[in-house]
Amino acid sequence: MSGEHDFQTLLCGMSAQLVEGVYVFVTIPEGAMPQDLTPRMVFRESEGVTLIVLQDEAVAHRLPHEFPSRMITLNVHSSLDAVGFIALIATKLAAAGMGVNPVAGFFHDHIFIPEARAEDAMNLLQDLADQGSETAAF
């Protein structure tokens, strides 16, 4: 399987990128997606289709939405079966009182965090990467 498995390598090699825009979560019935909507993520559940879209798009399409958030891409190619990497990040953010919604892509993990906490999350992630680098030096 492609991607990195080693926890320490993932932590040391991680850089976080705050992606432009405010994202929201939307749910629609199967087959009801507007043709000109460009979701960042689509996930089908038994209750409906969950979309992550830019807030401006949700408003323009009059779609009810929740959780205005910022997307942070973790720029390290983690394996899809890497153990503990996202758990550590979610735990660190939770300890700071921050909800996090992780999404795994093939090449990178992405986290959606409350819009107002974006800078806090970026600082915590930088601290985490720095601590991983310091630990690896020993």
Side-chain angles (χ1 to χ4, degrees), residues 89-110:
I89 289 167
T91 300
K92 180 84 168 174
L93 296 174
M98 208 175 310
V100 60
N101 288 285
V103 173
F106 191 87
F107 295 102
H108 304 286
D109 294 302
H110 311 272

Side-chain angles (χ1 to χ4, degrees), residues 26 28 32-38 53-65:
V26 172
I28 59 173
M33 187 173 338
Q35 286 189 339
D36 59 341
L37 190 67
T38 54
V53 299
L54 285 167
Q55 187 173 31
D56 293 344
E57 285 189 281
V59 170
H61 286 87
R62 295 186 180 103
L63 296 170
H65 52 276

Side-chain angles (χ1 to χ4, degrees), residues 111-126:
I111 58 174
F112 292 84
I113 50 92
E115 177 185 12
R117 302 292 309 273
E119 291 305 317
D120 294 340
M122 291 295 289
N123 291 333
L124 287 167
L125 291 168
Q126 185 60 56

